[in-house]
Amino acid sequence: MEPRQEVCQDNFDEEDRMSCRPGRAPTIYDVARAAGVSKSLVSLVLRGSPNVSDARRTAVLEAMARLDYRPSQAAATLAGATARTVGVLIDDYRNQWFVELLRGLQQGLAPHGLRIAVADHTLNAHVGASPLEGFLSMRADGLVLATEPSAAMRVPEDLPVVVAGHRDREVPGADVVANDDRHGARLATGHLLELGHREIGHLTGGGGAARLRAEGFAAAAAEAEVAARTAAGAGTTTEEDGWVAAGRLLDAHPGLTALFAANDTMAMGALAAARERGRRVPADLSVIGYDDSPVAATHLLELTTVDSRNAAIGAAAAQRLLARIGGEPPAGRSLLLEPRLVLRRTTAPPPAR
């Protein structure tokens, strides 16, 4: 037990020292401490994952040899039950933009034995419960913030973190993967302008992505020398917000021939508001959304929208997270994917005057 005793004396806190009992077999946590890495990285080495640098793999293997560590099947099962999980924090279950993001994440993480756990940070906000604390207590291997980061989010510096889909606020050391919201809004507005629309309204809401899309709309409208008419609902981007905002614009500006919504969910509300006012889509009013969420492609809607590349964002976020889990130091890099216009049946030239 001499190697084990030597390791126990190196910079261990009180809890660690109490675990160094004579005769106790070394654990995966002992290996992680001795190698100076996380337990999740040791698990990756044991599984033969390629997402580990040579230097860190060597450090883990040397620690295993020094401690005479022998992984058991029971220990592997226990480690898999308490780790191999990436927490994903979203902002609203009602907004479907994250569905494709989760698919991309799952496809990127599953081959490496990592699963995802999803939580909506707004659900229990009224009682002060934080799903972020839950992810930390379950010793998640990493975290994906698919919501706008706030100053109240306290993320440990040693936890691999990627911000996905939002780029308005930074988390120190975290990589950011998102689509270019301003460019996407220009694509949507440009499409309506090319069809001949000159009376265009925009439905917006709270949050950085909505703000960037509103900026893109305003810039494109200014360049075309058309009025940029914008309205919001209650400040979010739900179907109800879209219905309220569209009603306000259509009532205040009956000459509008097109609406661009900050997301597909708001566009659904706009379609309802138009129907209530006897406006046919797209014969009387064109409607375009953003995100290309699953509902946009349904036969019922066939909504023209902007593809924000959420599956690709999820896949890229998975790659960045695996690199961090594998020992790559935090870089705080940003990757912007170019959105694409998806033409369906809710846009057409404006009605003849």
Side-chain angles (χ1 to χ4, degrees):
M1 297 303 296
E2 182 177 350
R4 174 62 184 150
Q5 292 172 353
E6 179 184 350
V7 173
C8 286
Q9 295 170 1
D10 287 335
N11 299 321
F12 273 26
D13 57 26
E14 183 176 354
E15 180 181 355
D16 293 332
R17 292 180 183 280
M18 290 180 65
S19 69
C20 299
R21 299 187 303 271
R24 184 181 69 86
T27 69
I28 190 172
Y29 297 98
D30 299 324
V31 174
R33 295 185 188 108
V37 300
S38 67
K39 194 224 72 168
S40 57
L41 191 141
V42 177
S43 296
L44 287 177
V45 172
L46 292 174
R47 295 198 299 272
S49 172
N51 290 283
V52 180
S53 66
D54 291 340
R56 289 178 179 264
R57 187 185 305 277
T58 298
V60 170
L61 294 177
E62 289 179 349
M64 290 171 59
R66 190 163 69 251
L67 295 174
D68 195 24
Y69 173 72
R70 295 289 185 270
S72 67
Q73 184 59 45
T77 301
L78 179 60
T82 57
R84 297 191 187 181
T85 299
V86 169
V88 182
L89 200 60
I90 64 172
D91 52 13
D92 191 345
Y93 274 116
R94 297 169 295 179
N95 190 339
Q96 296 189 20
W97 80 270
F98 64 85
V99 173
E100 288 297 295
L101 174 93
L102 294 179
R103 182 171 68 86
L105 272 172
Q106 179 66 19
Q107 290 177 349
L109 296 175
H112 301 276
L114 291 165
R115 58 192 176 187
I116 58 177
V118 184
D120 183 339
H121 82 95
T122 64
L123 286 180
N124 295 316
H126 63 289
V127 294
S130 170
L132 180 57
E133 295 300 322
F135 289 142
L136 297 180
S137 65
M138 67 187 291
R139 296 182 178 179
D141 293 84
L143 182 65
V144 175
L145 296 179
T147 182
E148 188 170 355
S150 68
M153 292 182 182
R154 304 296 181 185
V155 181
E157 294 183 1
D158 60 344
L159 180 67
V161 179
V162 175
V163 179
H166 295 264
R167 59 188 177 95
D168 205 35
R169 295 181 181 175
E170 296 183 354
V171 173
D175 290 339
V176 177
V177 184
N179 91 107
D180 190 338
D181 294 290
R182 288 192 185 93
H183 179 61
R186 283 179 168 272
L187 287 177
T189 310
H191 168 61
L192 296 174
L193 291 168
E194 289 175 1
L195 289 173
H197 294 277
R198 290 299 179 269
E199 293 287 333
I200 305 171
H202 178 54
L203 315 179
T204 188
R211 181 183 61 79
L212 294 173
R213 294 169 190 180
E215 290 176 0
F217 165 73
E223 291 173 6
E225 298 183 345
V226 301
R229 307 189 189 281
T230 303
T236 55
T237 54
T238 65
E239 189 271 346
E240 177 74 12
D241 288 298
W243 178 78
V244 171
R248 289 173 178 168
L249 281 180
L250 293 174
D251 291 342
H253 308 283
L256 286 176
T257 60
L259 291 175
F260 163 42
N263 61 23
D264 295 340
T265 308
M266 292 192 82
M268 291 172 59
L271 293 171
R275 183 181 61 187
E276 292 173 358
R277 288 159 178 78
R279 303 287 294 272
R280 297 169 301 165
V281 176
D284 302 322
L285 181 73
S286 288
V287 176
I288 183 169
Y290 203 114
D291 285 333
D292 196 24
S293 58
V295 70
T298 60
H299 295 294
L300 177 63
L301 295 184
E302 294 189 273
L303 178 69
T304 296
T305 185
V306 176
D307 179 5
S308 51
R309 311 279 305 282
N310 290 320
I313 289 174
Q319 291 177 351
R320 294 289 178 89
L321 204 61
L322 286 168
R324 291 285 304 280
I325 292 173
E328 182 178 305
R333 297 170 299 180
S334 294
L335 172 64
L336 284 186
L337 303 184
E338 185 173 346
R340 298 180 292 219
L341 187 66
V342 180
L343 300 180
R344 295 195 178 98
R345 296 191 179 184
T346 58
T347 52
R353 296 295 184 183

